[in-house]
Amino acid sequence: MTTWITEEPLDLDALIRETEDVSCGALVVFSGTVREQNDGLPVSGMTYEAHVELATKVLQDLEAEVRQKFNVPQCRIVHRIGPLDLGEVSVYV
């Protein structure tokens, strides 16, 4: 999987396989989804845009910082770009 930014739907199973580590006793996953409102106003969907090279570097740096600062062996962040409908996953951490 080793991608940080993608236009494809995010694959949690692939992300879990990529980060499996027998030295860990737990796995924590944050899933961000498109919600139906923002600041009390209705939302019908979202379109995420990114400068892919720059965003990839930022996500890689964040992962490295988390591993170092919190002494965790694995940290992965993947973000989807492009149009997303309500309920679709936009980010896994």
Side-chain angles (χ1 to χ4, degrees), residues 24-78:
C24 297
L27 172 68
V28 177
V29 177
F30 169 83
S31 172
T33 59
V34 178
R35 61 179 185 249
E36 67 182 357
Q37 63 173 310
N38 186 51
D39 291 333
L41 299 173
V43 172
S44 60
M46 294 196 60
T47 299
Y48 288 93
E49 297 178 350
H51 182 284
V52 175
E53 280 186 40
L54 180 59
T56 297
K57 175 74 169 109
V58 169
L59 294 180
Q60 291 171 329
D61 289 349
L62 283 170
E63 290 173 353
E65 181 180 346
V66 166
R67 287 192 304 271
Q68 189 275 325
K69 185 174 182 177
F70 298 105
N71 193 31
V72 295
Q74 299 291 333
C75 177
R76 284 287 285 117
I77 305 168
V78 291

Side-chain angles (χ1 to χ4, degrees), residues 1-6 10-11 15 18 59 63 76-80 90-93:
M1 176 174 200
T2 311
T3 187
W4 288 265
I5 307 290
T6 182
L10 301 181
D11 183 348
L15 184 63
E18 184 178 331
L59 294 180
E63 290 173 353
R76 284 287 285 117
I77 305 168
V78 291
H79 205 297
R80 188 168 168 197
S90 58
V91 64
Y92 280 133
V93 180

